[in-house]
C-alpha cells in the first residue's frame, strides 16, 4: 500500500506506466517526468499501481505518483551484484527504470525483495534520501584516495609510529 498524489506528467521521455521511476521535471514546477539520469538527484517516486491513499485531483495529463509506502518498481539488475532485500534503489539512464544504488548516491527507497533476472520488478519501500552516506562509503572513498596517491603504507607507518611514541598500545589494539 502506498500514498500517491496526482502530478502533471511530461511525456517527453515516454508515457510512463505503473512501476516507472519518476523525477521532478526541471522545465516546469509541480510536474514529473520519467527519470533519464543515472542516480538523479531529482528522483521523486514511482508511478503507482493501486494506492491506498490518494492526494490531489485527477485530470488530463496527470499520473498518480507513489511518494510513501511500498511500490512495485521496474529495475535493471547487475547479475554480478544482484539486488537483495534491503538494497537502496536509484534511477538509471534508461527512462523510468531503477537500479541498485552505490554508496553515496541519491536513493528512492529500499528493495524489499531480491531479483535474480537482468530486468524485473521489485517491491520498494519509498524513503527518498539524497544523503545515503555510510561509514562503509566514507571508508571506501578514503581507501581509494590513499591508494590513488600511493601513500597508504606511509599512513599506516605514521599511525603505528605515533601510537608507539604515545605508548597507547595497551589501550588501542590494531586489527
Amino acid at each position: 500500500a502506498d500514498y500517491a498524489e496526482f502530478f502533471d506528467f511530461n511525456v517527453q521521455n515516454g508515457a510512463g506506466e505503473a512501476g516507472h521511476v519518476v523525477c521532478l521535471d526541471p522545465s516546469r514546477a509541480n510536474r514529473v517526468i520519467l527519470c533519464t539520469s543515472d542516480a538523479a538527484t531529482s528522483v521523486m517516486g514511482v508511478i503507482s499501481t493501486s494506492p491506498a491513499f490518494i492526494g490531489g485531483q485527477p485530470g488530463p495529463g496527470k499520473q498518480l505518483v507513489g511518494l510513501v509506502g511500498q511500490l512495485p518498481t521496474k529495475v535493471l539488475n547487475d547479475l554480478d551484484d544482484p539486488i537483495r532485500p534491503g538494497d537502496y534503489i536509484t534511477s538509471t539512464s534508461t527512462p523510468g527504470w531503477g537500479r541498485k544504488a552505490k554508496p553515496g548516491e541519491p536513493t528512492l527507497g529500499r528493495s524489499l525483495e531480491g531479483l535474480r533476472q537482468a530486468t524485473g520488478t521489485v517491491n520498494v519501500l519509498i524513503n527518498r534520501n539524497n544523503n545515503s552516506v555510510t561509514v562503509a562509503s566514507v571508508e571506501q572513498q578514503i581507501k581509494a584516495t590513499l591508494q590513488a596517491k600511493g601513500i597508504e603504507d606511509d599512513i599506516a607507518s605514521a599511525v603505528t609510529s605515533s601510537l608507539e611514541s604515545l605508548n597507547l598500545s595497551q589501550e588501542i589494539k590494531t586489527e
Side-chain angles (χ1 to χ4, degrees):
D2 65 281
Y3 169 76
E5 289 191 19
F6 283 100
F7 282 90
D8 288 331
F9 187 79
N10 181 343
V11 296
Q12 175 183 342
N13 298 333
E17 58 186 55
H20 273 154
V21 177
V22 297
C23 287
L24 292 170
D25 184 348
S27 68
R28 193 171 113 206
N30 298 313
R31 185 166 72 175
V32 296
I33 190 167
L34 293 180
C35 292
T36 57
S37 296
D38 196 47
T41 57
S42 61
V43 65
M44 188 176 147
V46 174
I47 296 177
S48 186
T49 54
S50 56
F53 303 96
I54 298 174
Q57 296 297 315
K62 292 193 173 197
Q63 284 276 13
L64 266 173
V65 177
L67 303 171
V68 177
Q70 300 177 40
L71 285 128
T73 305
K74 295 177 184 244
V75 291
L76 304 176
N77 200 16
D78 177 355
L79 296 178
D80 291 330
D81 187 20
I83 295 171
R84 293 181 176 87
D87 285 339
Y88 285 102
I89 303 298
T90 191
S91 62
T92 69
S93 57
T94 301
W97 288 75
R99 67 162 171 82
K100 181 178 179 175
K102 296 174 185 148
E105 291 182 327
T107 61
L108 172 66
R110 292 185 97 152
S111 180
L112 297 173
E113 55 194 337
L115 183 66
R116 296 198 181 274
Q117 298 92 327
T119 62
T121 301
V122 294
N123 220 16
V124 173
L125 178 61
I126 303 297
N127 60 337
R128 199 179 161 314
N129 181 3
N130 260 349
N131 298 313
S132 58
V133 176
T134 63
V135 171
S137 70
V138 171
E139 184 178 89
Q140 180 182 2
Q141 290 174 343
I142 291 170
K143 284 181 178 179
T145 301
L146 293 175
Q147 285 176 341
K149 294 184 178 199
I151 59 172
E152 62 185 322
D153 289 338
D154 295 338
I155 298 293
S157 294
V159 169
T160 301
S161 175
S162 296
L163 289 174
E164 287 172 357
S165 68
L166 292 171
N167 198 21
L168 296 174
S169 60
Q170 296 299 325
E171 295 176 35
I172 300 175
K173 298 188 185 220
T174 59
E175 292 181 358

